[in-house]
Amino acid sequence: MDKNGQTVEYELSEGVLTLTLNRPETLNAFDDAMLTELLAALRKGAEDDAVRVVVLTGKGRGFCAGQDLKAYLAKGPVDAKEHLITFYIPLIQTLAEFPKPTIAQINGVAAGAGMSLALAADLKVATRDAKFIQAFSRIGLVPDSGSTHFLTRTLGPARALELMLLGESIDADTACRWGLVNRVVDPPELTDAVGAWARKLAAGPPVAFALTKALVRRAASATLAESLADEAESQGRAARTEDHQDALLAFAQKTVPVFKGR
Ligand code: LHQ
């Protein structure tokens, strides 16, 4: 938490919004305030045209340790279903359906709903010493916050269940080999590696990016015929943007296009 009591840092620079979870003493476990602030920050970032890409990361040695179990206990009996409906479902849905590219900059352990959070981002870059743990079974719970959805789609049921039932951690290299993260880097290289991708994405075509993300989300449960029709519809829209016309001209003139989001 910073001196103003904020548990999520909001920093916008050259189109890149960096949201830093800031409860390092708990490895950035989610209390109600951090859940609320992160959702509000994402909603604000979605609305702001100056935000072209979002980077999510954690302060200290953890990325996010999931629900703050001490805060959860301290609240007295909480209806877990209501807790998920109030906090986690809108958060994960907002992130997974975010209209701009998102990158999880995984600086350390991602456990429970903290792993779900990382999985809900578009791109994942992890440090070599990061770990991923489906911690839910260790405390007698089922995976939530999208873990069943993301892991089953990426890994298939056998590996997804291995992680969920055994509750053992996997390291970043294994997560990368399994397709859960895009890149693994040494810790000192993390911010530069993510920064390079973020700046590139921030200079990309916003309308085409939003349409591409929606296409890929729908493709996961579509037939080929449906995806082909969906692509044609979205291509029609992308092709009508000024950005596309400008980029065609730039190609012909051998210059670099400047995408404006129109
Ligand atoms: C923590 C936490 C934490 C509080 C580390 N809470 N303090 C949804 C709906 C309803 C109900 C519940 O949950 C959910 C969603 C979920 O996310 S359930 C899963 C919740 N998360 C976990 O079960 C993970 C718990 N944490 C751990 O297993 C370990 O801390 C991991 C493996 C993440 C890291 O281990 P270490 O690197 O050995 O660090 P540590 O355990 O020593 O933790 C450092 C500090 O962080 C420590 O505090 P202390 O005061 O002793 O220094 C921990 O108590 C605190 N911390 N996770 N989730």
Side-chain angles (χ1 to χ4, degrees), residues 3 14 17-19 24-25 29 48 56 58 77 79 85-86 94 97 106 112 149 152 195-196 205 218 238 256 259-260:
K3 57 184 185 318
E14 292 171 29
L17 171 62
T18 303
L19 300 177
E25 67 287 357
D48 184 352
L56 262 180
D79 183 328
I85 291 171
T86 304
T94 300
E97 294 172 6
I106 305 161
H149 181 90
T152 308
R218 290 191 294 267
V256 178
F259 294 113
K260 301 184 192 72

Side-chain angles (χ1 to χ4, degrees), residues 25-27 29 61 65-70 72 80 83-84 88 109 111-114 133 135-136 138-139 141 144-145:
E25 67 287 357
T26 65
L27 304 178
R61 74 173 177 92
Q67 173 63 41
D68 184 321
L69 297 174
K70 294 173 196 163
Y72 187 76
H83 192 62
L84 289 171
Y88 287 93
V109 66
I133 312 176
F136 307 93
R138 294 182 178 189
I139 51 169
L141 290 180
D144 63 32
S145 308

